Every structure is written in C-alpha cells, then in structure tokens.
Amino acid sequence: MTTLLKAVLPVLAVIFLTACGSGNADKSHPPHESDSSATAAPVAAGVHLRDDKLNAVYPHYVQLTTALTNGDMAAAKIAASAIAAGAGEITGGAALGAAAANIMAATDIDAQRTLYAGLSTAFIALVKQSGLSSGALYVDFCPMAMHDKGASWLSAGKEIKNPYFGEKMMTCGDVKETILPATAAAGTGSVKPQFTNVDAKVAASLKAVVAQYLQIKNGLAEDNSAGAANGGKAMAAAMEKADKTAMTPEQQQLYKENEDDLKEHAEHIGKNEGNIEHQREHFAQMSEDVYALVKAFGGGQTLYHDYCPMYNDNKGARWISETEVVKNPYFGSKMATCGSVKEVMQ
Amino acid sequence: MRTIRIMAVAALAMFVGIQFIQPVKNRSSQMDTANDISRLYPIPAGIQDILQRACYDCHSNTTRYPWYAHIQPAGWWMASHVKTGKEALNFSEYGRYSLKRRRNKLERMKEEILEDRMPLGSYTMIHTDARLTAEEKALLVNWMAEAGEK
C-alpha cells in the first residue's frame, strides 16, 4: 500500500500542480514532496459542479484540504482567502464564507482544522444542493476528529487522506457517501415502470393523481397547509375519476392494493387544513402508495425519488418530486434541503 | 304571562316530540364478525378488554350506550360521533381494508395513543373507564407494533 502510495504521489502532485496552475497558492510556498507523508490533492479529472459559482470555489476547497492534510498553515490561509472571496457570490454561501474568514484569522493549524470541520459541512451541503454535472465526489468521515465527535470532508478520490490529523493519522476515516451526477445516478438508480402495457386512459388518470400529489408535496414544502389541503381534496376527486376498467387484472390488483389507503390519506390531508404536522404524517404514508404506483405504472414525467433520513425521529421518509433539487416537504423551511435523490423514475 | 306559558308548552312539546326520532343504534348481531380485527391478528384477552372499554364505542359496530344516549338531542350527537369514528377506523370491518391500509392504520393508532390524541378527551371525561393508564398505553402500543409486522 505504501509503495503504491509513493508511486502514485508524484503523479498526483503533477496533476494537481497543472490543474491548479492559475492558483498562486502553489507557487508561493515551497513544495515538500521530500516528506513521504505529504500528499497532494487528487483533483479528479472531470469533477464539475452544476452551480458555476460553487464550481469556481471547489478547487480552493481542494487546496485547503490538501494544505491541512500536509499541515501547511500558510497554504491553508491562502486557500481560505480564495474561498472567502468566492463564497460571497454563492447563494446560501454565508456560512462557508464566515468559516473561511475564520480560518484566515486562525493562529495555529489545530484551530484551522477545527474551523475546517464547519466549513466542510457547509461546503458539502452546497455541493449536494448544486449537484454534479460530471465526475464523482466522496463524503469522508473520521470519527476521531474534533475530540472524537467526528467530522466530515469532501474528496475527489476514494482514498482517505485525513485533513484533521495529517501525517499523525493519515488514513483515519472512511467514505460515507458518494455524490454522483443525477444522470450517473440514473445509471445505477434509475427505474422504468414495471408495466409496459399501460393504457393511455389509465396513464392519464394516474398522471392527474400524481399532479395532485405534487401539489400536496409543494404545499408542505412551503409550509402551506391550505395548499396541501386543496391538493388532498383534488387528489381524492381525481381518484374517483380514475379509469380502472382499462387496467389489466394484474394492474388492477396492484392499484387496489394502494387505492383505499391513498384515498384515505388524500381525504385526510384535505380535511386537516391548519394541522400541517398531521398532514405530514399522512403524507409519509401517502408517499409509499404513490411511489408504488409510479414504480408500476410510471408517472407520465421524469420524477425523483427523494429520501430524508431525519423525519419521524430519524426513521426516515421518502417522497416523490418533479424537480431534481431537493425541497423537503417534511420539515418545510426548517430544513428545506434535508434529503437526497435516491432514484430517477422515468 | 300568557305568551310565556305558550312558549313553555311549545318547548316541552318539541322536547317530547324529538324523543320519537331515535337514531339507529350501532349494534351489530353477534354473528357478524367475518371482518373483525380479531380474525386477522391474535388479540390477547387483556388487550381485547382495553380495546372494548376505550375504543370500540366509536370504532366498532357495537357501541355501549349510556342512559343519556336515549334522550335527544344527546343521542343524535352521539350517533354523529360514532359515524365519524367508524369512518376513520372500524375494528369490526378491519378485514375490508387493504393490507397496506391495515398496516398504516396500526402505525397511526400507535401515534394517536402515544400523543394522547385518542381516546378523545371529551369522551373520557364522561366515560372514565375508557381512560388509559401509562401501562395500558404501553400494552396497546406494543401489541399494535407486533400486529403491524404481520
């Protein structure tokens, strides 16, 4: 492993230096490849974030991570100043900017590393919000960082190079999550409807039901109980009109397994205007039904299967969305971006 | 003076009159248990007793009527309560629900009990025997969790 590391390091160093040729940070401090524990950041070719402004800051995050991994305080300050400058341009980048400014002001590497934990959390959240258009990023986690509280960071490679301890504990941690472009996620998590012979009338009926589901979902995400209630009433009405006669026996069976449950949730959400938490309880169970139906019949449009692990005392809950951007219906504005896309449903 | 007497007599006549409009009582015949929840999940005697005392008046086809339920308009008010209760959940018709709905209902029953939303406070105020102790709540919730996994 170490020999491999040694063999790979110079290569990575070269990639890094060329990739960040414009970054004066690398030229302003002496390289230290003589030290075998020193590592260069693997700027994986092809990582591109959808948000252009965030994408512009990303190389500086890589520089900062590398600097901390190498224990290079001066380089960390330079990278942090670049992040602070770029963060101002990013929507929702205030926390990132503030953390970067604090790293610039920090007087020792330990303080920088502590601040880096908060910066990474903010950066990871922004990356998830933006999504990738190409490449892959890994969320790494070291349980020992921050006095055993644990902390995360983002890397472009699967190999662990710990920025919280540097050479003291270079390989502490593991990859907790992989962030892939939605289209690549489609390669692994994309589903096509189970039934290929869905009658046009059936498809139209179900599309109307899904449309009302999305209205409920958007109402809840906007903390708009009345909007959700209207969607619930309209969904119950749309279900009354659903054409079951054109379904095959197999399709009828699957539909019936979900029909009475779904209708009850729709009516209940319709009746509970003003009690949004109760509407959300029903929405969690409703989403299971809608998920089953869309998976079997298709939704008439590209839909995203999202999952929030925190809802219902961390038991988690899913929902279906028409947008790739996560907008949490279970917490609304309290935690709008909690959750991730699990599947793309064509 | 005369008008007051006429009004009193009219009110009395109306009160007597409405006594003849009795809502249909919610009492099923003993035989009608094909869809009862006890056919689907094993219900220990202790649980059955709690369900009957605290839930079945509004959530089954058999209501135990208190004396005032025979006097109108209290009976009407009660009938509407039972109707709403049975629409939301009916233990006597549990077998008519889809599998998914059965599981989801059990899940929500647990939440209703844990969050003290059921049995309704307005109901336990009068039906004191329907009040659940902490121990009874735990028994019910455990049973519901077990049944939900079947």
Side-chain angles (χ1 to χ4, degrees), chain B residues 65-122:
Chain B
Y65 286 96
W67 63 268
Y68 58 81
H70 302 284
I71 296 164
Q72 308 315 330
W76 298 343
W77 174 78
M78 185 137 182
S80 90
H81 243 280
V82 171
K83 182 170 173 279
T84 327
K86 279 168 66 177
E87 267 168 15
L89 166 67
N90 189 342
F91 286 106
S92 307
E93 306 284 343
Y94 213 78
R96 289 189 199 278
Y97 302 142
S98 68
L99 258 176
K100 206 168 202 175
R101 201 168 172 203
R102 287 178 206 159
R103 267 209 312 268
N104 283 343
K105 279 197 181 291
L106 282 166
E107 191 59 36
R108 291 203 307 277
M109 279 181 231
K110 275 193 322 199
E111 280 165 19
E112 296 284 315
I113 289 169
L114 286 174
E115 287 168 31
D116 282 325
R117 290 183 292 204
M118 280 288 162
L120 284 180
S122 60

Side-chain angles (χ1 to χ4, degrees), chain A residues 134-180:
Chain A
S134 65
L137 285 171
Y138 303 91
V139 179
D140 304 329
F141 181 79
C142 164
M144 291 177 64
M146 307 285 287
H147 302 286
D148 292 332
K149 272 187 247 153
S152 302
W153 74 98
L154 202 61
S155 68
K158 277 186 192 171
E159 194 187 346
I160 296 294
K161 284 179 197 146
N162 194 312
Y164 293 100
F165 292 104
E167 62 186 86
K168 266 193 284 175
M169 226 174 295
M170 188 57 86
T171 57
C172 174
D174 21 34
V175 175
K176 286 288 168 203
E177 210 180 319
T178 307
I179 305 174
L180 293 169

Side-chain angles (χ1 to χ4, degrees), chain A:
Chain A
M1 189 63 205
T2 10
T3 41
L4 176 70
L5 194 67
K6 275 180 189 163
V8 165
L9 274 177
V11 180
L12 289 174
V14 168
I15 295 172
F16 176 53
L17 290 171
T18 40
C20 297
S22 59
N24 45 15
D26 306 296
K27 286 163 195 158
S28 61
H29 68 86
H32 29 219
E33 44 282 324
S34 54
D35 183 353
S36 67
S37 70
T39 42
V43 174
V47 170
H48 194 276
L49 300 163
R50 279 179 190 276
D51 183 328
D52 286 335
K53 284 160 187 160
L54 191 66
N55 192 56
V57 169
Y58 171 68
H60 303 299
Y61 177 82
V62 175
Q63 282 171 7
L64 176 62
T65 309
T66 311
L68 293 177
T69 308
N70 295 345
D72 187 337
M73 201 178 130
K77 283 194 179 189
I78 293 163
S81 78
I83 294 174
E89 303 281 310
I90 301 168
T91 330
L96 179 69
N102 287 335
I103 291 178
M104 283 162 67
T107 49
D108 61 75
I109 187 105
D110 289 333
Q112 283 184 331
R113 283 175 169 153
T114 305
L115 292 161
Y116 173 78
L119 183 139
S120 285
T121 307
F123 192 74
I124 291 168
L126 289 168
V127 167
K128 282 186 181 170
Q129 208 177 346
S130 148
L132 299 180
S133 50
S134 65
L137 285 171
Y138 303 91
V139 179
D140 304 329
F141 181 79
C142 164
M144 291 177 64
M146 307 285 287
H147 302 286
D148 292 332
K149 272 187 247 153
S152 302
W153 74 98
L154 202 61
S155 68
K158 277 186 192 171
E159 194 187 346
I160 296 294
K161 284 179 197 146
N162 194 312
Y164 293 100
F165 292 104
E167 62 186 86
K168 266 193 284 175
M169 226 174 295
M170 188 57 86
T171 57
C172 174
D174 21 34
V175 175
K176 286 288 168 203
E177 210 180 319
T178 307
I179 305 174
L180 293 169
T183 43
T188 49
S190 160
V191 282
K192 293 245 181 287
Q194 175 196 339
F195 298 129
T196 47
N197 54 341
V198 180
D199 187 274
K201 274 182 276 178
V202 174
S205 316
L206 288 174
K207 195 173 178 187
V209 172
V210 170
Q212 296 312 327
Y213 170 84
L214 295 173
Q215 196 198 323
I216 299 171
K217 188 261 301 174
N218 289 329
L220 295 177
E222 287 155 17
D223 298 312
N224 175 1
S225 177
N230 287 336
K233 287 175 204 153
M235 184 198 266
M239 286 184 73
E240 290 287 349
K241 280 186 270 173
D243 193 335
K244 284 176 271 183
T245 52
M247 291 180 193
T248 65
E250 198 192 357
Q251 291 171 355
Q252 269 185 10
Q253 196 198 342
L254 196 140
Y255 185 73
K256 280 200 181 127
E257 277 168 20
N258 294 288
E259 185 181 22
D260 65 342
D261 194 61
L262 182 57
K263 192 142 181 267
E264 180 180 359
H265 296 312
E267 285 166 354
H268 228 86
I269 289 171
K271 274 190 256 176
N272 275 274
E273 181 176 340
N275 188 354
I276 198 160
E277 292 314 322
H278 192 57
Q279 287 178 320
R280 284 174 172 146
E281 284 172 21
H282 279 275
F283 180 75
Q285 294 186 339
M286 167 183 269
S287 295
E288 296 292 327
D289 298 336
V290 172
Y291 176 68
L293 289 177
V294 169
K295 214 160 179 171
F297 290 92
Q301 58 183 313
T302 299
L303 293 169
Y304 299 88
H305 162 202
D306 296 339
Y307 183 77
C308 161
M310 289 178 66
Y311 184 65
N312 193 10
D313 295 327
N314 294 323
K315 281 188 209 128
R318 66 170 117 229
W319 75 95
I320 308 295
S321 170
E322 74 282 28
T323 61
E324 196 184 335
V325 177
V326 169
K327 261 179 80 190
N328 192 310
Y330 293 108
F331 291 104
S333 57
K334 266 189 279 176
M335 225 175 293
T337 57
C338 175
S340 54
V341 175
K342 290 284 164 204
E343 248 174 346
V344 183
M345 304 169 90
Q346 304 291 350

Side-chain angles (χ1 to χ4, degrees), chain B residues 6 12 18 63 68 88 111 122:
Chain B
I6 290 172
L12 186 69
I18 63 172
T63 303
Y68 58 81
E111 280 165 19
S122 60

Side-chain angles (χ1 to χ4, degrees), chain B residues 43-78:
Chain B
I43 306 181
I47 300 288
Q48 185 70 44
D49 171 62
I50 303 172
L51 288 175
Q52 238 147 18
R53 271 195 294 119
C55 315
Y56 278 18
D57 282 350
C58 292
H59 294 297
S60 80
N61 287 342
T62 312
T63 303
R64 301 165 301 163
Y65 286 96
W67 63 268
Y68 58 81
H70 302 284
I71 296 164
Q72 308 315 330
W76 298 343
W77 174 78
M78 185 137 182

